[in-house]
Each structure stands twice: as structure tokens, then as C-alpha cells.
Amino acid sequence: GGPPRDINMIVPIDLLTAILDELLTHGRPNHPARPWIGAYAGEGEGRVVIAGVLPKGPASAAGVRVGDIVLSVRDEAVGSLADFYRKLWQSGSAGVEIPIELVRDGRTIWVRVKSRDRGQMLKKNSLQ
């Protein structure tokens, strides 16, 4: 009767089929857009550091700067780069305001970043 059918091999294909259907129907995954802040972070020496800030992006508008060290997102300590992005994305859907605690020049500061839908922002910028 042919090769053995392993249920673990079937589940990912089903998942991919569902995602492909969403992409073909909606042009993107069919769930609310994740909050995007327009900043890139890196991890070093056990700290998450802002490595880049997009001009005119949400983080830039809130005063986030390259070199800022991220301490917390929504009053929850950030332990790693993956943790930082997880906490951003768990803040709600795009448009939510996200309080972020930073260290700059040895001082702790708070910023409130009004997140955006990355896809909408990139689409808008590509039309100009």
C-alpha cells in the first residue's frame, strides 16, 4: 500500500494550504496586522539595543533613537530580541499605542509609540 502516511507530514501541508488560500483571497494572511514601530533592534551582551530607526516611522516620531537600550514593553521586562518582538506583537493589532522603557545616556526614559500597519505604510510610501 505505498509509503507510510505520517500525520506529522500532513499537518504542515494543511497549514500551508490554509495560508496559501488566505494569500490568494486577501493578498496577505487573514488576521489583523501586527503592530509595527519602524525600528530595528539587535541583541548584544544580554541587552536589546535599537540598531535602526526609519525616518518618518512611528518609533522616530516617538523619539526612539539608535543606541537606545530596551528595558521593557508594556511594563514587561524584555529579556531577548525574540522577547522584544513577541511583546510588541502581543500588544494588539496595528494602531495600538505601545509604551516602551528605554535607557539612553544612563537615564531611563519612557516613550509611547503609536504603532502602524507595516503593509499599509509601505504601500503608501511606494505610491509617492
Side-chain angles (χ1 to χ4, degrees):
R5 293 183 54 97
D6 182 352
I7 189 68
N8 292 326
M9 298 297 288
I10 296 169
V11 173
I13 292 169
D14 289 345
L15 182 60
L16 288 175
T17 301
I19 292 169
L20 182 59
D21 287 345
E22 288 181 6
L23 291 174
L24 292 172
T25 305
H26 303 285
R28 65 184 194 111
N30 189 28
H31 55 74
R34 287 178 168 164
W36 175 76
I37 65 168
Y40 304 97
E43 187 175 353
E45 299 176 17
R47 303 183 304 187
V48 175
V49 180
I50 300 298
V53 179
L54 276 161
K56 299 182 182 177
S60 176
V64 176
R65 296 187 197 154
V66 170
D68 287 347
I69 299 166
V70 180
L71 290 183
S72 71
V73 172
R74 293 177 14 250
D75 289 326
E76 295 179 25
V78 169
S80 67
L81 189 59
D83 192 37
F84 170 62
Y85 285 109
R86 192 176 307 110
K87 284 181 169 64
L88 285 178
W89 296 337
Q90 289 173 346
S91 297
S93 54
V96 69
E97 193 172 75
I98 305 170
I100 302 174
E101 184 182 15
L102 305 167
V103 173
R104 179 184 301 154
D105 300 326
R107 293 188 349 260
T108 301
I109 61 169
W110 282 91
V111 294
R112 297 184 73 77
V113 182
K114 176 87 166 136
S115 68
R116 306 269 305 268
D117 176 341
R118 180 176 176 264
Q120 289 298 322
M121 180 139 181
L122 294 177
K123 199 180 297 179
K124 182 181 119 187
N125 288 340
S126 70
L127 296 175
Q128 296 175 350

